[in-house]
Amino acid sequence: MQNLITIRELSETQLRKFLSLSFQIKKNPEQFSQTLKGKNILLFFVENSTRTKLSFENAVKKLGGTHVSFTGGASSMAKGESLLDTVKTILQYGADALVMRHSSGGAIDWLADACNLPAINAGDGHHEHPTQALLDSMSLMEQWNLSPDQELPFKGKNILIVGDIYHSRVARSNIHGLTKLGAEVTLVAPKTLMPSDLSLFPKVKVIHRMDTPHGKEILANADAVMMLRLQLERQKVAFFPTTQEYRHFWGLTVERAKLLKPSAVILHPGPMNRGVEIDSEVTDSKQSLILKQVENGVWARMAAFKGVFEWNS
Ligand code: NCD
């Protein structure tokens, strides 16, 4: 079984193929309206989600399939049923693939094996969120008029990933994806929110401050800035003194956004803490691609289904 669990394990060519497929689908969705005909997809979400879950549901529908949606909180898992028992129970209703979000990294690998189903990772703990990286690259390519059919399409582009990198699966998938596609990636975070072992990401630069002359220069040279949510629900200890201080040093405030080139674009995977990692005015500015990211989520997830079913056919 071949699954879409990480961007790390995709080759540059495979990654560009998924992106190419996303654009083909976006251009002509009707052509793909029977792709999942007769297939039932289990959407298994054991962690909160708005965008990812709704876009997977939409993707299945647009591809002509059906889905069974499961959310942990309202189920017998709250009564102590194990993950495996829960999934095996649901599978008795029939499923041809599994899409899963879980708070533990690696849970999807284990479950996909146990159930012997093609699987797509909708976010596992701090680990990866591959379809988010697809939709983010898609949004950037569209903005910059780049083709996924050319090698290293992001060559020469400077992309900053800013914020709670330590807890972010979005950051990890994007670091792998953007560097594979040729971008220069700089990570910006307080030392406490930067992973201590960066050996998995040998190509990235790391800075801790944006208010120093060096930090300001990096900001002024960026072609895109990807802001991350401060994931307070995963922070069991204090990683910084106050959210005001976090905003002051690591937030994309109106003043800080003025240092960006007028052509630079701003991304955020959502959900956002407006006024913490990003100011409201910046979120709603012309430079923001945030709603475009949401829209592209459906096309990228349709491509994920098509690609994974093709692998396993
Ligand atoms: C992200 C996630 O769940 O990893 N959101 C998303 O999928 N759009 C980021 C986050 O929760 O901060």
Side-chain angles (χ1 to χ4, degrees):
M1 205 60 74
Q2 242 189 311
N3 304 315
L4 180 57
I5 295 187
T6 67
I7 295 287
R8 182 172 63 84
E9 289 161 314
L10 294 183
S11 66
E12 196 234 341
T13 313
Q14 281 175 317
L15 178 54
R16 285 193 290 107
K17 227 175 140 206
F18 271 113
L19 290 165
S20 183
L21 200 49
S22 308
F23 284 114
Q24 277 173 46
I25 294 173
K26 181 168 184 174
K27 211 165 154 196
N28 191 359
E30 283 73 36
Q31 198 191 321
F32 299 87
S33 64
Q34 304 295 304
T35 301
L36 288 186
K37 194 166 188 276
K39 304 250 188 268
N40 194 30
I41 311 297
L42 171 55
L43 302 179
F44 191 83
F45 278 65
V46 206
E47 208 188 65
N48 297 346
S49 174
T50 304
R51 281 146 280 262
T52 307
K53 185 159 175 289
L54 290 178
S55 59
F56 268 113
E57 286 178 2
N58 262 293
V60 175
K61 197 167 167 202
K62 283 191 190 321
L63 292 170
T66 54
H67 72 265
V68 182
S69 233
F70 174 91
T71 32
S75 75
S76 292
M77 282 182 83
K79 299 181 186 171
E81 188 165 62
S82 77
L83 183 62
L84 189 56
D85 281 340
T86 304
V87 173
K88 285 198 161 161
T89 302
I90 303 170
L91 291 181
Q92 296 313 305
Y93 306 120
D96 300 286
L98 168 73
V99 174
M100 182 177 176
R101 167 167 287 193
H102 198 278
S103 53
S104 297
I108 181 162
D109 261 314
W110 169 80
L111 203 65
D113 271 359
C115 303
N116 198 30
L117 277 181
I120 299 176
N121 184 4
D124 62 330
H126 303 182
H127 180 219
E128 281 226 31
H129 193 351
T131 56
Q132 179 72 39
L134 290 180
L135 74 91
D136 289 340
S137 282
M138 200 188 162
S139 305
L140 288 172
M141 282 185 172
E142 209 162 45
Q143 179 68 21
W144 294 329
N145 214 1
L146 296 170
S147 162
D149 302 326
Q150 113 201 17
E151 274 179 33
L152 304 176
F154 289 145
K155 196 157 190 255
K157 297 289 185 194
N158 291 316
I159 303 180
L160 307 192
I161 304 182
V162 184
D164 187 355
I165 293 171
Y166 182 80
H167 296 103
S168 178
R169 52 197 176 210
V170 173
R172 286 178 179 74
S173 284
N174 266 308
I175 295 170
H176 291 300
L178 297 170
T179 53
K180 272 180 214 259
L181 298 172
E184 294 285 331
V185 174
T186 303
L187 308 182
V188 189
K191 285 188 180 157
T192 50
L193 290 174
M194 189 69 82
S196 52
D197 179 10
L198 288 168
S199 59
L200 255 185
F201 317 117
K203 292 187 184 149
V204 298
K205 291 193 196 119
V206 172
I207 63 168
H208 297 293
R209 304 275 296 254
M210 287 193 285
D211 58 330
T212 59
H214 180 58
K216 286 182 181 171
E217 194 187 318
I218 300 251
L219 209 56
N221 277 324
D223 297 295
V225 183
M226 189 177 283
M227 299 307 296
L228 299 172
R229 183 173 66 91
L230 196 51
Q231 301 200 18
L232 293 169
E233 78 281 13
R234 297 191 205 276
Q235 300 181 15
K236 305 292 177 232
V237 294
F239 285 81
F240 50 87
T242 61
T243 48
Q244 290 96 314
E245 181 172 304
Y246 182 87
R247 173 180 176 270
H248 178 75
F249 285 104
W250 295 285
L252 193 55
T253 58
V254 171
E255 297 69 41
R256 196 160 276 141
K258 285 188 188 142
L259 298 176
L260 293 169
K261 296 191 263 199
S263 62
V265 289
I266 296 158
L267 297 96
H268 191 305
M272 287 174 282
N273 298 303
R274 285 180 185 245
V276 180
E277 70 263 2
I278 189 165
D279 278 7
S280 247
E281 294 86 332
V282 178
T283 301
D284 301 326
S285 72
K286 282 207 193 94
Q287 284 170 286
S288 160
L289 296 187
I290 297 171
L291 291 177
K292 160 94 44 201
Q293 290 172 269
V294 177
E295 188 223 321
N296 282 336
V298 177
W299 314 119
R301 284 162 183 136
M302 287 169 79
F305 281 121
K306 178 143 177 62
V308 168
F309 273 104
E310 264 172 25
W311 274 343
N312 290 294
S313 66

